Amino acid sequence: MFSNQTKIILFLLVLFAIGDLNASTFLKDLKQVETSEMMLLVPENNIDEEPAYTEQQVKKAEKLLNGLQENIDKVKILLQVSDWYEASYNNPKTLEKAFYYAKDALRISQALHSNIYIGKCYLQLSMVHQLRNNDSMIEVTARKAIAVLSKTNQLDDLAEAWVMIWSAKMRARKPIPERLVPIFKAAAIFEKSGNNQRIGDCYREISELYFSYSDFNKSLNFLNKAVFFYKAAHLKEDEILPISSRLNIIYEADKRNRDIIRLKNTTLLQQSRLKNEVFLRNSMITFVVLLLIILGLLYKSYRFKKKTNIILETQQDEINKKNNTLQNLVVEKEWLLREIHHRVKNNLHMVVGLLASQAEFLKNEEAIQAINSSHNRIQAMSLIHQKLYQSESLSIIDMPSYIFELTEYLKDSFEIKNNIRFILDIDSFSLPLSHSIPIGLIFNEAVTNAIKYAFPNRVNNIITISLKAIDDENYKLIVHDNGIGLPPDFDPYNNPSLGIKLMHGLSADIEGKFLITNLNGTKISLEFTFKEHNLH
């Protein structure tokens, strides 16, 4: 059996259905936007296609609303009552009641998480704000309705929300292109729902907008579309007749506008011909005078140029001698730089040899590892200087070649053979010494740590190395292994390891963003910025 509350609801619905047929009914007025331009008429906001309430039904509903359970049925009744008061906007009190009931319906709909009725409530509030002349809130509530109704299949309500956006633009006297956007969207959604009459309404208003700034061709086109959809909606001939009359008006206006343009063009053409004749006569006189002046100037210029050429030839000889001297200096400078890089490389190799000799006399494993780490770091810098004196450019490093050779050196240094597979993905670009040395050292530390600590079992071991250009100025280095990852107590920002501190310090030197994370192994990434024009 039904609960008492359910019985009350059923009784109320039956009472509404068989209510007093002699009670005076209130027909809902069409809402019009308060601007000087023609506004699109908004149809009745029927809730689930239910008939509008009579005054008697509204009074009975208001008495019973407080006792009803907060569910969708109560939301429907609240919206019906709000809709009735909205249609009776003869004074501010009725609009205040319409606003109150719509807000109450919105509160319940939000509590029930019903997107359909949340959207309907926002749409109802937008219409009430329009009648209350609260222009700032018309578009705000309509856009909230659109955001919610877009998630539902309520196409007509969604289209009506776009109509309200259009109404707000019209009331605010926004530019014509800005008014056209929402009304076009409304027409497109009405076409999806098959609401022919509302499609015709939208196209009629689009026609008026184009007419307002004298685009008669588009205005005529869209008004023809409106008539087509009105006929598809089976409107009566007497309802379509005023629109047909409007077609004639636009057609005549378009014809008159073309005639005016044609007359203007004819007048302009005649004026242009007259001006051309006067201009041609004056030009001939001016041409003769200028020709005489030019001939005199040419003769004077010839004599001056002859004298100038003699001076320029003398100066050019001096410039050529200086250029040859400067070219020799540049070549000499380049050879000196090559010699410097070569000597630096040799000195670094000597340091590497001394470290290797020292390591043979050490018995402490930590000291030997420190010597080997320093050996690899020096080799990373030595390789850069080797690249510099072997390349045509003495200031920039080709990064793909450098990273590949450094990787091969580390593989040979640790004698890993095929135990670890390296995957390299390096973009083709060059960096100067100021960036290539820090990046080479960070790369050396990251790969060395991965080889030494990531693979205790040495099974299916992979180190992925990526150096990519994100855009023209930003780059990213990633060294990612699939090893055991970082220990649980590892703190990448407060670690006593020299290698970690070195990577942080080098990253700060080039103003890079350094990060160590656990991601199916250990992932070391460095993001840095370098502008190519700094190379020049």
Side-chain angles (χ1 to χ4, degrees):
M1 298 300 292
F2 298 104
S3 64
N4 290 334
Q5 197 167 20
T6 305
K7 289 178 181 178
I8 292 172
I9 294 172
L10 291 173
F11 173 76
L12 181 61
L13 293 173
V14 172
L15 188 62
F16 289 164
I18 61 173
D20 186 5
L21 296 177
N22 294 325
S24 59
T25 60
F26 287 83
L27 297 176
K28 186 174 183 181
D29 295 332
L30 296 174
K31 306 177 189 69
Q32 294 185 328
V33 181
E34 295 180 359
T35 67
S36 62
E37 303 173 5
M38 172 67 84
M39 305 306 292
L40 181 61
L41 298 177
V42 180
E44 295 181 0
N45 187 22
N46 293 333
I47 310 302
D48 292 341
E49 302 301 329
E50 294 180 5
Y53 280 1
T54 63
E55 183 178 10
Q56 183 181 2
Q57 288 173 319
V58 168
K59 299 301 181 186
K60 290 177 181 178
E62 287 183 306
K63 291 179 181 179
L64 295 174
L65 276 173
N66 290 332
L68 295 180
Q69 184 178 358
E70 293 190 346
N71 54 23
I72 292 299
D73 290 331
K74 184 171 181 178
V75 172
K76 292 180 182 180
I77 295 171
L78 285 167
L79 285 176
Q80 286 278 57
V81 174
S82 173
D83 199 51
W84 185 87
Y85 277 113
E86 179 201 347
S88 309
Y89 60 95
N90 52 356
N91 60 68
K93 291 184 178 179
T94 57
L95 288 178
E96 191 62 34
K97 286 188 176 183
F99 178 76
Y100 168 77
Y101 286 121
K103 287 289 287 184
D104 199 25
L106 176 61
R107 177 185 61 80
I108 298 171
S109 300
Q110 289 174 332
L112 296 173
H113 304 291
S114 171
N115 284 337
I116 291 177
Y117 282 93
I118 292 172
K120 289 178 180 288
C121 292
Y122 276 128
L123 178 57
Q124 177 70 8
L125 286 170
S126 180
M127 295 178 179
V128 174
H129 282 311
Q130 180 177 253
L131 295 176
R132 296 172 77 191
N133 293 320
N134 191 350
D135 294 347
S136 62
M137 290 302 295
I138 297 173
E139 184 170 354
V140 172
T141 48
R143 289 200 179 277
K144 289 182 179 179
I146 290 168
V148 179
L149 291 171
S150 297
K151 304 173 184 177
T152 70
N153 60 352
Q154 303 294 307
L155 295 179
D156 277 345
D157 286 333
L158 178 61
E160 295 298 348
W162 278 110
V163 170
M164 296 310 297
I165 297 289
W166 168 84
S167 175
K169 302 290 186 187
M170 294 290 285
R171 294 170 71 97
R173 296 187 179 277
K174 295 292 184 181
I176 297 296
E178 195 171 335
R179 303 184 204 182
L180 284 169
V181 172
I183 196 66
F184 268 118
K185 287 188 178 181
I189 298 171
F190 278 130
E191 286 194 31
K192 286 184 181 179
S193 70
N195 192 334
N196 289 326
Q197 183 171 349
R198 295 299 284 155
I199 299 169
D201 292 339
C202 291
Y203 282 142
R204 185 188 66 207
E205 294 307 322
I206 292 170
S207 170
E208 291 300 326
L209 285 172
Y210 280 120
F211 185 84
S212 66
Y213 66 95
S214 301
D215 192 340
F216 301 115
N217 188 27
K218 288 185 178 179
S219 177
L220 194 63
N221 182 34
F222 281 105
L223 197 57
N224 276 320
K225 286 186 177 181
V227 172
F228 171 79
F229 282 104
Y230 280 143
K231 289 180 179 178
H234 305 294
L235 262 67
K236 297 178 181 178
E237 288 296 329
D238 57 346
E239 294 175 333
I240 300 177
L241 184 60
I243 302 173
S244 300
S245 301
R246 183 63 174 167
L247 278 171
N248 293 330
I249 293 172
I250 295 174
Y251 176 77
E252 292 297 329
D254 186 26
K255 183 179 177 182
R256 186 167 56 254
N257 186 58
R258 287 197 299 268
D259 291 340
I260 291 171
I261 293 172
R262 187 163 51 251
L263 287 172
K264 285 183 178 179
N265 290 338
T266 303
T267 303
L268 290 173
L269 183 60
Q270 292 174 349
Q271 290 176 350
S272 177
R273 287 175 179 173
L274 182 60
K275 288 180 180 179
N276 287 339
E277 291 175 358
V278 174
F279 175 76
L280 185 60
R281 184 191 62 194
N282 293 335
S283 297
M284 291 298 292
I285 297 172
T286 306
F287 176 75
V288 173
V289 174
L290 288 175
L291 183 60
L292 294 173
I293 294 172
I294 290 171
L295 289 173
L297 291 173
L298 285 174
Y299 177 73
K300 186 177 180 180
S301 175
Y302 169 74
R303 295 193 53 153
F304 176 77
K305 187 175 181 181
K306 191 173 181 180
K307 293 179 181 179
T308 305
N309 283 340
I310 297 171
I311 298 172
L312 289 176
E313 286 175 1
T314 305
Q315 291 177 345
Q316 186 63 44
D317 290 337
E318 294 178 1
I319 291 171
N320 289 336
K321 291 178 181 178
K322 290 181 180 179
N323 284 341
N324 290 332
T325 304
L326 291 174
Q327 186 65 33
N328 292 332
L329 289 174
V330 169
V331 172
E332 186 178 336
K333 179 184 176 183
E334 288 182 354
W335 280 108
L336 287 173
L337 284 173
R338 290 182 193 277
E339 182 63 21
I340 289 170
H341 286 305
H342 185 64
R343 289 180 181 273
V344 170
K345 190 266 293 185
N346 289 341
N347 290 337
L348 290 174
H349 276 192
M350 186 180 296
V351 174
V352 168
L354 291 173
L355 290 174
S357 300
Q358 183 66 44
E360 293 179 359
F361 296 96
L362 295 175
K363 296 181 180 179
N364 186 295
E365 186 63 29
E366 291 184 0
I368 293 173
Q369 288 185 1
I371 291 292
N372 290 335
S373 297
S374 299
H375 181 283
N376 292 339
R377 292 164 186 157
I378 294 171
Q379 181 63 28
M381 293 186 289
S382 173
L383 185 58
I384 286 178
H385 288 284
Q386 180 179 334
K387 287 283 182 186
L388 286 173
Y389 81 74
Q390 289 177 348
S391 66
E392 293 183 1
S393 173
L394 297 173
S395 59
I396 58 175
I397 298 294
D398 180 56
M399 295 310 293
S401 172
Y402 174 60
I403 295 296
F404 177 78
E405 291 188 25
L406 189 54
T407 303
E408 291 299 314
Y409 167 76
L410 292 174
K411 288 167 65 176
D412 294 340
S413 176
F414 286 96
E415 298 180 353
I416 59 177
K417 297 181 180 179
N418 296 324
N419 295 326
I420 300 176
R421 183 160 61 95
F422 286 80
I423 300 175
L424 276 70
D425 183 12
I426 314 296
D427 280 354
S428 179
F429 60 89
S430 299
L431 292 176
L433 206 60
S434 61
H435 282 67
S436 54
I437 288 180
I439 290 168
L441 290 172
I442 292 171
F443 174 83
N444 174 76
E445 295 296 327
V447 175
T448 299
N449 287 340
I451 294 172
K452 290 169 62 177
Y453 306 116
F455 311 113
N457 298 324
R458 293 185 178 271
V459 176
N460 192 24
N461 305 319
I462 299 173
I463 297 177
T464 302
I465 299 166
S466 170
L467 181 56
K468 309 290 287 182
I470 301 173
D471 52 40
D472 291 340
E473 297 181 356
N474 296 293
Y475 303 85
K476 189 169 186 179
L477 169 67
I478 297 175
V479 179
H480 189 190
D481 62 67
N482 64 341
I484 60 174
L486 300 171
D489 59 345
F490 182 82
D491 184 359
Y493 302 102
N494 187 19
N495 194 286
S497 168
L498 176 61
I500 299 298
K501 290 181 177 179
L502 182 62
M503 287 191 283
H504 277 292
L506 291 168
S507 301
D509 287 345
I510 59 174
E511 298 180 353
K513 181 180 178 183
F514 180 75
L515 190 63
I516 304 178
T517 56
N518 260 327
L519 183 65
N520 297 324
T522 303
K523 180 180 179 181
I524 294 177
S525 61
L526 169 67
E527 293 185 26
F528 62 95
T529 300
F530 176 75
K531 298 180 179 179
E532 286 192 7
H533 60 75
N534 290 341
L535 291 173
H536 306 292

